[in-house]
Amino acid sequence: MKLSHLAETLIGSEIVKLGGEIRDKIRKGEKIYNFTVGDFDPAIFPIPKELEDAIIDAYRKHFTNYPAAEGNLDLRESIAVFLKDREELVYNTDEILVSSGGRPLIYSLFRTLIDKGDKVIYAVPSWNNNHYTHLNGGEHIVVEATAENNFMPTADALRPHVKEATLVCLCSPQNPTGTTISRKDLSAICELVLEENARRGPDEKKLYVLYDQMYWQLTYGAIEHFNPVSLYPAMREYTIFIDAISKAFAATGVRVGWSFGPAEIIGKMKAIMTHIGSWAPMAEQKATAVYLLQKDNINSYLAGFKGAVSSRLQQIYESFVALKKDGYCVDVLAPEAAIYLTIKIDLKGKKTQQGVMLKEQSDVTSYLLNEAGLAIVPFSAFGASKTSPWYRLSVGTCKLEDIPEMIGKLRDAMSRLV
């Protein structure tokens, strides 16, 4: 069967494929410590009670018809207040676009900016930039980030590629790494973008920044979140933000996200989305409009939620530090934000007790799943090299009591290798 070039060349989600293997093992009764999903177990991390009540109330008031194409006005007004209060960012309602989570917004932004062959710059590992670039026929300009810089891109790494590029994709806090971009590094990137746009003529397409800050409210300790527009007001003309209630309020299935940026670009994104129909549900929009104005309730929820996530990340981090100290071939980056921990498990070249060599990193991933019951996502699923020994570990479904047991099984599985 002959299909479109896109259909025949599109790569499915590596995480979804791994998830299928995990579900098969669980169905067979195996104990699996599933740290793969960028989602939450509602039994462990429920959405805010006030948001839940507002959703139920909205349905009882029969808010079940189509919402406005750009998002209901009351929600966009609440988002504007929320942005001003939380980030001191001032955006009008015509500069805000609502959708069913972040993905349709990212897709519509790509469709708005990218023509076939346009250069898209993104660092790896990063979430889905490779797929969105392919979906839109862009030219992939891939920068390999390193552990030395917490897997975040730098201006020096981007500089050779900005000429004639159309879009730079940034995400902070970063999925999959759980790390953040520093003020210094983000400032340097902003200066690079402004310098490049000043060089371009009035008839040339400008260089824009997609700034995915889906996890910005989930930072820990002394870690601060920075954004391009607060650092450089001139970046307002070139920055399009992606945000949602999905991660900060454990509301991935509620499907309310928003983008904000230059009105002309937001308007074009809206036009594209009218043909996709990717609106957030009416009742959920009504509820979110109410909840985003409840400052005290939000602060109370985030305090408990962040504490619970941080304690899990910190406990696993300390366990990996101990494993490294004991001589195991592991490493770990200190947790900074989001629900992710960046870990390194470098077992390639070792042999099992049956004499089977772990020749590839994929063999290591399979060994960890089969022998330790540990399910984690390799950075190769996020565009990094297939030889990378680094992994994303997500704690969104993690029970505290499972951590010591998981670490014990991992230690035992690594001890059996020679």
Side-chain angles (χ1 to χ4, degrees):
M1 183 182 294
K2 183 66 176 177
L3 302 175
S4 72
H5 176 74
L6 175 62
E8 292 187 339
T9 57
L10 185 65
I11 301 171
S13 169
E14 294 87 347
I15 302 173
V16 170
K17 180 182 177 182
L18 180 59
E21 296 178 29
I22 294 165
R23 285 191 295 274
D24 285 343
K25 288 183 175 292
I26 293 173
R27 277 195 294 268
K28 293 174 182 176
E30 295 184 40
K31 173 68 174 181
I32 301 296
Y33 304 96
N34 188 3
F35 292 91
T36 63
V37 292
D39 198 359
F40 303 92
D41 181 344
I44 302 172
F45 298 111
I47 66 172
K49 180 66 164 57
E50 297 82 7
L51 177 60
E52 178 183 297
D53 290 343
I55 293 171
I56 294 170
D57 183 61
Y59 275 109
R60 286 177 173 162
K61 289 179 178 176
H62 306 296
F63 286 113
T64 54
N65 55 317
Y66 280 132
E70 64 271 28
N72 292 331
L73 179 60
D74 57 348
L75 175 53
R76 287 181 289 119
E77 288 174 340
S78 292
I79 292 169
V81 172
F82 183 78
L83 293 175
K84 177 68 167 61
D85 182 58
R86 297 274 164 171
E87 290 193 274
E88 297 183 351
L89 291 171
V90 178
Y91 281 82
N92 299 320
T93 54
D94 66 342
E95 299 172 304
I96 299 171
L97 178 63
V98 175
S99 181
S100 56
R103 296 173 198 238
L105 296 163
I106 297 173
Y107 178 74
S108 64
L109 175 60
F110 268 78
R111 295 300 296 172
T112 297
L113 297 180
I114 303 302
D115 290 313
K116 183 177 177 59
D118 279 354
K119 294 180 179 179
V120 179
I121 306 173
Y122 59 89
V124 293
S126 62
W127 179 81
N128 259 23
N129 288 314
N130 53 339
H131 299 302
Y132 284 112
T133 302
H134 179 70
L135 280 168
N136 291 277
E139 180 182 343
H140 301 256
I141 306 298
V142 182
V143 175
E144 188 100 20
T146 65
E148 289 70 30
N149 203 52
N150 276 355
F151 290 104
M152 299 300 294
T154 65
D156 286 342
L158 302 181
R159 183 169 285 107
H161 309 291
V162 296
K163 188 176 182 181
E164 298 178 358
T166 300
L167 185 63
V168 175
C169 301
L170 300 177
C171 177
S172 183
Q174 171 83 292
N175 179 5
T177 63
T179 56
T180 58
I181 192 165
S182 69
R183 175 194 285 270
K184 177 183 177 183
D185 285 341
L186 183 56
S187 295
I189 291 174
C190 290
E191 291 170 2
L192 180 63
V193 171
L194 293 172
E195 177 185 301
E196 174 60 22
N197 281 328
R199 185 192 67 79
R200 298 186 183 187
D203 296 328
E204 292 183 86
K205 190 182 289 186
K206 296 297 185 180
L207 175 61
Y208 293 95
V209 172
L210 185 165
Y211 199 68
D212 181 345
Q213 58 170 26
M214 193 70 67
Y215 297 89
W216 75 270
Q217 296 182 82
L218 302 182
T219 57
Y220 309 116
I223 298 298
E224 290 185 68
H225 171 71
F226 301 102
N227 73 73
V229 175
S230 294
L231 293 179
Y232 284 83
M235 284 295 295
R236 182 188 178 96
E237 186 178 349
Y238 309 116
T239 305
I240 301 90
F241 291 84
I242 306 293
D243 205 348
I245 64 171
S246 303
K247 307 298 183 175
F249 304 118
T252 52
V254 179
R255 309 313 300 150
V256 179
W258 55 86
S259 181
F260 54 101
E264 184 178 0
I265 292 176
I266 291 296
K268 297 299 184 184
M269 291 168 62
K270 169 193 166 184
I272 291 170
M273 283 176 43
T274 60
H275 298 292
I276 300 173
S278 54
W279 306 297
M282 171 66 89
E284 279 76 356
Q285 286 199 42
K286 289 291 183 182
T288 303
V290 171
Y291 183 68
L292 289 181
L293 300 180
Q294 298 177 8
K295 184 175 180 178
D296 290 343
N297 288 335
I298 290 175
N299 289 341
S300 176
Y301 178 82
L302 286 176
F305 180 41
K306 289 172 64 173
V309 173
S310 179
S311 65
R312 287 161 169 78
L313 292 170
Q314 190 64 29
Q315 187 172 335
I316 299 173
Y317 167 73
E318 292 172 359
S319 297
F320 267 80
V321 170
L323 287 171
K324 182 180 179 181
K325 186 177 180 181
D326 289 343
Y328 292 96
C329 298
V330 302
D331 206 347
V332 62
L333 299 186
E336 292 186 346
I339 59 173
Y340 308 120
L341 193 66
T342 288
I343 61 174
K344 181 181 183 182
I345 304 180
D346 194 3
L347 306 177
K348 193 168 64 174
K350 292 186 176 293
K351 290 184 179 179
T352 68
Q353 290 182 331
Q354 292 75 34
V356 177
M357 179 178 287
L358 305 179
K359 295 180 180 180
E360 308 292 340
Q361 197 61 36
S362 58
D363 298 329
V364 175
T365 304
S366 296
Y367 180 81
L368 295 172
L369 180 59
N370 294 325
E371 299 300 323
L374 176 59
I376 48 180
V377 185
F379 273 11
S380 58
F382 302 99
S385 167
K386 292 186 181 299
T387 63
S388 172
W390 293 92
Y391 291 83
R392 182 187 83 173
L393 184 151
S394 172
V395 298
T397 63
C398 171
K399 298 177 181 178
L400 278 171
E401 59 269 24
D402 281 346
I403 294 175
E405 188 176 294
M406 176 272 289
I407 293 295
K409 289 196 173 184
L410 174 61
R411 181 186 289 267
D412 180 63
M414 291 192 295
S415 296
R416 296 198 305 271
L417 293 172
V418 295

